[in-house]
Amino acid sequence: MTVKALNKTFIVKRTKKLESDGGIILQRDLDPNPRVTVLSIGSKVETECHVGQELMIDWGRAGRFEHEGEELFVVHESNVIGVYDATTNN
């Protein structure tokens, strides 16, 4: 079963999972890169992007949930900081 975003939201997953080689991880170190990959786009989203594209989001406003064992996030369009340009790798 797939998860579908509604209205002005995105369903996203982390682009790169952070791994620790041991030691203490401080809260500020958990999400140094707010880059996520778009899995689903709500029908009322006006931001120009597509499934598979990477976004920069405000992690403080992302809602975390698990679906079929995968960590996903729901993000309202107003909490998207930027859209990465796939043609320039930036």
Side-chain angles (χ1 to χ4, degrees):
M1 177 195 301
T2 60
V3 178
K4 184 174 179 180
L6 301 175
N7 299 317
K8 295 178 83 63
T9 64
F10 295 92
I11 302 294
V12 299
K13 68 177 181 178
R14 293 177 197 266
T15 297
K16 187 182 348 178
K17 184 103 173 158
L18 297 177
E19 296 183 17
S20 171
D21 57 356
I24 298 172
I25 299 175
L26 301 175
Q27 180 65 34
R28 72 178 192 287
D29 295 331
L30 291 178
D31 296 304
N33 181 2
R35 193 177 281 220
V36 295
T37 302
V38 177
L39 301 178
S40 179
I41 302 171
S43 63
K44 296 185 180 179
V45 168
E46 296 174 4
T47 301
E48 290 185 29
C49 70
H50 55 82
V51 171
Q53 192 163 13
E54 294 181 338
L55 304 177
M56 180 185 302
I57 65 166
D58 178 355
W59 279 108
R61 302 286 185 175
R64 181 192 174 283
F65 67 98
E66 282 195 29
H67 177 68
E68 297 180 350
E70 185 173 22
E71 181 182 49
L72 303 176
F73 300 87
V74 61
V75 180
H76 191 274
E77 183 177 25
S78 64
N79 297 314
V80 172
I81 299 167
V83 179
Y84 288 96
D85 184 354
T87 61
T88 62
N89 293 325
N90 291 322

